[in-house]
Amino acid sequence: METMHPDVEEILFSQEEIASMVKRLGAQISEDYKGKDLVLIAVLRGAVVFMGDLMRAIDNPLAIDFMAVSSYGDGAKSSGVVRIIKDLDIDIKGRDVLIVEDILDSGLTLKYLMKNLSSRKPASLEVCTFLWKDVEGKQAAVNPKYVGTHCPDAFVVGYGLDFAEHYRNLPYVGVLKPEVYA
Ligand code: IMP
Ligand code: MG
């Protein structure tokens, strides 16, 4: 059991649990993309930690690239506004693209991203999200092919996920104490 950050109320997913999720996803992706021209695209900045672990859990040759989009400000609510801050450096035409995301909530960010990337004519385009806030009555705008785990509808931090750019380096995923928002 890792020591908890004082701002964290509860640990949802421990380092060990995350490692086994990543191992399972990596094995599945290795199998599904055998012989394909796999490109992993991580969405900055939240997905970098997951990307770093996931790429090492995949046996196949692959390329990586990064995109930065803005959908949230420094707060906890979606603005619904998405814009590209950093575009890809590589050409994805005819390649098998897997978008690597930290967390899927409304899916508005990914919906926009997928529309944009599909116009570049990849051979395939799928989503691998570490967490999915797949709660009752909430419909995400995209359907991920790979999911690390489902997540309650709380604001979570750690393993790449931030609140106002803090807590990304926590090795586990936790729920913030309410007073941290105040
Ligand atoms: P969506 O467009 O509503 O799916 O928002 C997805 C993005 O919002 C994620 O990539 C995160 O950057 C951010 N986000 C959503 N929920 C959380 C959370 O609980 N903690 C930290 N970031 C979050
Ligand atoms: Mg993100």
Side-chain angles (χ1 to χ4, degrees), residues 43-47 69 71-73 75-80 82 101-111 129 131 133 138 140-142 151-158 160-164 168 174 181:
V43 185
L44 295 172
R45 289 178 288 271
V69 296
S71 124
Y72 281 49
K77 281 224 178 88
S78 176
S79 64
V82 180
E101 248 294 36
D102 51 1
I103 188 164
L104 178 56
D105 186 9
S106 70
L108 291 173
T109 317
L110 277 184
K111 191 185 176 189
T129 188
L131 299 175
K133 282 189 188 171
K138 228 183 180 185
V142 304
C151 175
D153 200 10
F155 199 80
V156 297
V157 295
L161 292 153
D162 73 306
F163 176 67
R168 291 194 195 275
Y181 294 93

Side-chain angles (χ1 to χ4, degrees), residues 2 38 46 48 55 76 117 132 136 167:
E2 46 264 284
L38 179 59
V48 293
M55 64 187 281
L117 293 178
W132 190 4
E136 246 346 290
Y167 315 107

Side-chain angles (χ1 to χ4, degrees), residues 121-150:
K121 306 272 179 274
S124 66
L125 180 62
E126 300 288 353
V127 172
C128 176
T129 188
F130 170 56
L131 299 175
W132 190 4
K133 282 189 188 171
D134 186 20
V135 292
E136 246 346 290
K138 228 183 180 185
Q139 179 94 47
V142 304
N143 210 34
K145 184 173 184 188
Y146 305 98
V147 179
T149 185
H150 298 269

Side-chain angles (χ1 to χ4, degrees), residues 3-138:
T3 37
M4 220 159 72
H5 189 287
D7 293 350
V8 171
E9 186 166 72
E10 179 200 355
I11 294 179
L12 283 182
F13 307 110
S14 70
Q15 218 172 331
E16 292 73 23
E17 288 169 313
I18 293 169
S20 80
M21 287 171 207
V22 171
K23 200 175 160 193
R24 169 178 54 79
L25 290 171
Q28 188 63 56
I29 292 166
S30 302
E31 182 63 31
D32 295 351
Y33 286 85
K34 220 170 252 164
K36 307 262 188 181
D37 187 9
L38 179 59
V39 182
L40 300 180
I41 296 176
V43 185
L44 295 172
R45 289 178 288 271
V48 293
V49 178
F50 180 42
M51 174 74 136
D53 284 345
L54 184 68
M55 64 187 281
R56 287 176 293 174
I58 300 172
D59 290 332
N60 317 19
L62 56 80
I64 63 166
D65 205 349
F66 298 89
M67 271 185 102
V69 296
S70 80
S71 124
Y72 281 49
D74 270 353
K77 281 224 178 88
S78 176
S79 64
V81 180
V82 180
R83 102 197 129 91
I84 294 184
I85 310 290
K86 184 223 170 284
D87 207 343
L88 297 177
D89 292 319
I90 64 172
D91 187 4
I92 58 166
K93 192 170 182 211
R95 309 182 75 177
D96 294 284
V97 173
L98 186 56
I99 301 175
V100 176
E101 248 294 36
D102 51 1
I103 188 164
L104 178 56
D105 186 9
S106 70
L108 291 173
T109 317
L110 277 184
K111 191 185 176 189
Y112 170 84
L113 208 62
M114 289 188 80
K115 195 176 160 213
N116 180 292
L117 293 178
S118 60
S119 73
R120 307 178 199 194
K121 306 272 179 274
S124 66
L125 180 62
E126 300 288 353
V127 172
C128 176
T129 188
F130 170 56
L131 299 175
W132 190 4
K133 282 189 188 171
D134 186 20
V135 292
E136 246 346 290
K138 228 183 180 185

